[in-house]
Amino acid sequence: MTPPAPGYPSLAEQLKGRLIVSCQAPPGDPMRHTDTLVRMALAARSGGAAAVRVNDPEVVAATAAAVDLPVIGLWKDGDSGVFITPTVRHALALVEAGATVVAADATARPRPDGSTFTALVEAVHAAGAQVMADVSTLGEGRAAAAQGADLIGTTLSGYVPGSPVQSAPDLALVTDLAGALDTPVIAEGRIATPEQAAQALAAGAHGVVVGTAITAPTALTRLFADALAPRP
């Protein structure tokens, strides 16, 4: 990896105690438009975000060109199994697009092309970027750190068999990972309020990712509309 320039803080230093905003939209959502997502990232920057998390090489490239923040890039390909940056090919496309960090599924599940997470980490590092491992358990976090991941995210807790299904952030996993690893732990997943974000830092998170609670007007509108819907 390329070290930071003298006097310039490392990525870990830039993210310490800070907010990362996930600027994404699901397929079919009116917000899923490159220019819209870039503007969302610009708004996050104006609001004080330290970095943004962005899906798809096209959006990564546009965001990296327009927003003066580290871009954590991922590429969702598919909708089941390992689909967050599933292969080395996906990872290198994100680096080429300008991602500072490549986020990738680092769970114990098999990757669709039979490759390994280690191979992805090595390829991304050789290309000059860093890797955020999206995990669901303490064991996966330990393994990802041993394989060279630069950041460990709790992103997939509750979404992979074997991890606890819950409506709130998995702060217990944050605490366990932070206590077991020297690698910075990023809390991500179901963080819905500023108070929960602060609780994640108190639990040992190095930084916090928030997405839906900030950048998903369709989902947020649905919550209000459902609350006001007539009851039978």
Side-chain angles (χ1 to χ4, degrees):
M1 290 179 292
T2 303
Y8 190 77
S10 68
L11 178 67
E13 291 171 329
Q14 293 177 67
L15 300 182
K16 185 172 177 58
R18 300 289 303 281
L19 173 67
I20 301 159
V21 176
S22 181
C23 300
Q24 302 181 50
D29 191 285
M31 300 292 287
R32 195 178 175 100
H33 181 276
T34 298
D35 184 61
T36 300
L37 295 170
V38 170
R39 290 178 181 274
M40 189 184 292
L42 287 166
R45 183 188 186 283
S46 294
V52 291
R53 182 170 159 120
V54 177
N55 174 45
D56 189 87
E58 177 184 323
V59 184
V60 167
T63 303
V67 184
D68 183 22
L69 288 177
V71 175
I72 300 173
L74 60 145
W75 186 351
K76 294 180 179 177
D77 191 358
D79 56 11
S80 63
V82 174
F83 66 89
I84 297 177
T85 319
T87 71
V88 171
R89 174 180 67 84
H90 291 82
L92 292 180
L94 293 166
V95 178
E96 184 176 355
T100 310
V101 180
V102 171
D105 185 313
T107 63
R109 300 174 295 179
R111 310 187 84 79
D113 64 348
S115 63
T116 65
F117 181 70
T118 299
L120 184 147
V121 172
E122 291 175 349
V124 170
H125 284 175
Q130 298 187 32
V131 175
M132 176 174 172
D134 291 349
V135 306
S136 66
T137 66
L138 174 59
E140 291 169 352
R142 287 182 186 272
Q147 292 172 87
D150 304 281
L151 304 168
I152 307 293
T154 60
T155 316
L156 292 173
S157 174
Y159 302 104
V160 175
S163 60
V165 177
Q166 53 189 305
S167 59
D170 192 349
L171 298 182
L173 179 58
V174 172
T175 299
D176 289 345
L177 287 167
L181 304 177
D182 293 327
T183 306
V185 174
I186 305 297
E188 180 174 9
R190 301 178 299 279
I191 298 173
T193 67
E195 291 75 19
Q196 288 178 333
Q199 288 167 5
L201 287 184
H206 186 83
V208 178
V209 175
V210 178
T212 300
I214 295 175
T215 60
T218 302
L220 294 172
T221 300
R222 188 175 294 117
L223 286 176
F224 283 90
D226 289 348
L228 298 179
R231 296 290 181 264

